[in-house]
Amino acid sequence: MAQEQARNESTEGINAWKKRAPYRIHEPNENFNARYEANCHCGRVKYEISRKEPLDSKLCHCTTCQTQHAAPFQWAAIFHKEDINFAKGHHDLEWYDPTSKSVEHKLPCKVRCSYCHSPIMDEGRNMILLFPSLIHLKTDEDRALFKPRYVYPYSIFSHN
């Protein structure tokens, strides 16, 4: 009996992320106002965003972002974890910690679809960085709200 209880607590601890923001699925009565929809490339992971405008939007040229995205920079929009709701597929996610090169859900980490491997977000301790190229921005006004406001100085063109 004690062994079974310990196993359940262990499993519950492993799966506790499913009950916390940003992975917790909001109930219909919680008044989550979905302003934007987004999905990974294959569509297995779908999510909604409630905040009209990101807290910030940036282009990052650090070598980690260049390597992880196989591109000269990463475009990211910063949100609170409560601003996202997974409509589908939050069980189809996997994590990667570039610091320890681990696939454990350890913060901060990179989050992607386990099927098509589209990067979904970077999850920090308090915030998330979503990738606007996955968000269905329908109007010019919406696109303007997500326009990068800051370019991190670690550019591929710097000589440092």
Side-chain angles (χ1 to χ4, degrees):
M1 183 71 154
Q3 240 180 353
E4 184 177 325
Q5 183 179 359
R7 188 176 325 116
N8 288 342
E9 287 174 11
S10 172
T11 304
E12 187 175 301
I14 291 169
N15 293 320
W17 62 270
K18 295 176 185 176
K19 298 174 184 167
R20 290 191 306 264
Y23 305 103
R24 183 180 69 85
I25 295 176
H26 292 81
E27 297 297 326
N29 63 351
E30 289 185 75
N31 297 324
F32 185 88
N33 182 17
R35 295 181 183 269
Y36 305 105
E37 295 177 345
N39 58 272
C40 65
H41 186 265
C42 71
R44 289 184 186 214
V45 177
K46 293 184 180 192
Y47 55 97
E48 305 162 325
I49 303 163
S50 63
R51 182 176 294 275
K52 180 179 179 180
E53 181 176 2
L55 299 168
D56 203 358
S57 186
K58 68 179 185 79
L59 297 178
C60 183
H61 294 81
C62 79
T63 56
T64 299
C65 287
Q66 289 173 348
T67 303
Q68 289 285 299
H69 292 268
F73 61 87
Q74 166 205 40
W75 178 24
I78 302 169
F79 288 89
H80 291 291
K81 290 183 176 187
E82 293 79 19
D83 294 335
I84 187 173
N85 181 53
F86 281 92
K88 176 182 162 192
H90 79 293
H91 298 288
D92 292 319
L93 296 172
E94 59 187 24
W95 301 275
Y96 179 70
D97 173 7
T99 304
S100 65
K101 295 183 174 40
S102 165
V103 293
E104 293 177 63
H105 184 225
K106 186 172 87 174
L107 302 179
C109 65
K110 307 273 183 187
V111 183
R112 68 182 188 176
C113 171
S114 63
Y115 188 76
C116 69
H117 296 256
S118 294
I120 303 294
M121 66 181 159
D122 288 0
E123 182 185 3
R125 288 173 184 82
N126 301 309
M127 305 286 182
I128 54 174
L129 283 77
L130 295 174
F131 306 114
S133 56
L134 300 177
I135 301 168
H136 307 292
L137 301 171
K138 296 177 180 163
T139 67
D140 288 338
E141 178 187 351
D142 291 342
R143 285 185 277 283
L145 293 172
F146 282 78
K147 183 179 175 183
R149 299 177 208 141
Y150 186 78
V151 177
Y152 277 81
Y154 301 103
S155 171
I156 59 172
F157 303 109
S158 68
H159 299 286
N160 298 342

